[in-house]
Structures are given as structure tokens and as C-alpha cells.
Amino acid sequence: MNRAVVIALLALVAAVSSAATVLMVKSRDTTRPALTEEQRAVRDKFFGSIKELPQVKEGQEMRPRW
């Protein structure tokens, strides 16, 4: 095959795969919540809640020891 034909075919394959990826990503159902309340509770229990961190007391922030 000619070099130009090979390059054209590669460009076509790249365009088709990009279009397929965009369609698959956009076709997600956005009306449904990402997590149920049960899943959110398990996630919060495992990773901790999204609350702010407690204040650092008495200057115990991390400093170099030098």
C-alpha cells in the first residue's frame, strides 16, 4: 500500500475511536445518583467523612527538625 493510504487509514481509525470514546462517556445516565445512601455511608465510614480537619493544637504542625 501507498504511504499516504496507510496514514489516511490510521487517521480514520483514530477519529472513529475518539468518536466512540466520546459517545460512551456522554451516554452515562446522569439522572441516577452516583452513590446510594448505603454506599455513601460505607465510604464515609472507611475513608472518613468530608468534614474539615480539626485545628492543630499547641503548634504541633509539621516542621523540619533542624
Side-chain angles (χ1 to χ4, degrees), residues 23-56:
L23 288 176
M24 287 182 355
V25 168
K26 292 217 177 221
S27 69
R28 295 178 112 180
D29 186 15
T30 57
T31 59
R32 189 173 44 133
L35 294 175
T36 63
E37 288 300 319
E38 181 182 1
Q39 291 170 332
R40 183 169 287 126
V42 170
R43 182 192 67 186
D44 287 345
K45 182 179 178 185
F46 185 79
F47 290 111
S49 63
I50 306 175
K51 298 177 187 172
E52 292 185 23
L53 295 174
Q55 292 291 325
V56 177

